[in-house]
């Protein structure tokens, strides 16, 4: 069985690669990883912060002045928003797209 930390780390590593490719394609935002926390900063100074909450085994996203918590679902093999049931990547892609004014996919 895969541990929470291993699953989170794999998710963040894959996300870093995808976001790096998006930045390299000319989209204007910055990405920085500090330990387990991934920070995205946009031209207007807004920040999205993606971090683990190990005690409750959740992936947390602070974006657009709101906190979003995602739980792992073995059933769909993805992180799912505990309030909206939206998968993590479509949620993050829509949030980033909104900030950039351009559609991206993850």
């Amino acid at each position: 069985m895969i541990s929470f930390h291993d699953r989170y780390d794999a998710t963040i590593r894959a996300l870093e690669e995808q976001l790096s490719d998006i930045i390299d394609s000319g989209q204007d935002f910055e990405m920085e990883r500090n330990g387990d926390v991934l920070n995205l900063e946009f031209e207007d100074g807004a920040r999205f912060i993606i971090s683990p909450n190990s005690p409750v085994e959740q992936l947390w996203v602070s974006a657009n002045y709101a906190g979003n918590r995602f739980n792992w679902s073995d059933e769909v093999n993805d992180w799912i928003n505990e309030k909206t049931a939206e998968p993590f990547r479509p949620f993050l892609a829509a949030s980033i797209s909104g900030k950039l004014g351009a559609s991206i996919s993850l």
Side-chain angles (χ1 to χ4, degrees):
M1 182 163 176
I2 299 173
S3 74
F4 163 77
H5 198 329
D6 289 341
R7 186 165 296 162
Y8 175 83
D9 189 57
T11 299
I12 292 302
R13 286 181 190 275
L15 185 60
E16 273 185 297
E17 287 182 33
Q18 289 179 304
L19 292 173
S20 182
D21 289 345
I22 291 168
I23 291 168
D24 289 347
S25 76
Q27 293 299 332
D28 194 18
F29 67 97
E30 294 182 18
M31 173 181 62
E32 180 181 8
R33 184 171 178 185
N34 293 316
D36 288 338
V37 178
L38 187 63
N39 293 291
L40 308 178
E41 186 169 352
F42 298 89
E43 191 173 279
D44 64 0
R47 297 184 137 223
F48 290 2
I49 301 168
I50 303 164
S51 61
N53 185 328
S54 298
V56 292
E57 297 190 346
Q58 290 180 321
L59 181 154
W60 284 10
V61 179
S62 173
N64 298 321
Y65 304 104
N68 297 273
R69 296 179 295 238
F70 293 80
N71 297 302
W72 182 258
S73 169
D74 285 328
E75 190 174 308
V76 296
N77 199 37
D78 201 354
W79 298 96
I80 303 297
N81 188 306
E82 73 176 8
K83 291 181 185 174
T84 66
E86 183 177 15
F88 170 67
R89 289 183 189 283
F91 165 84
L92 189 60
S95 297
I96 293 171
S97 294
K99 289 302 293 176
L100 297 175
S103 181
I104 66 153
S105 60
L106 296 172

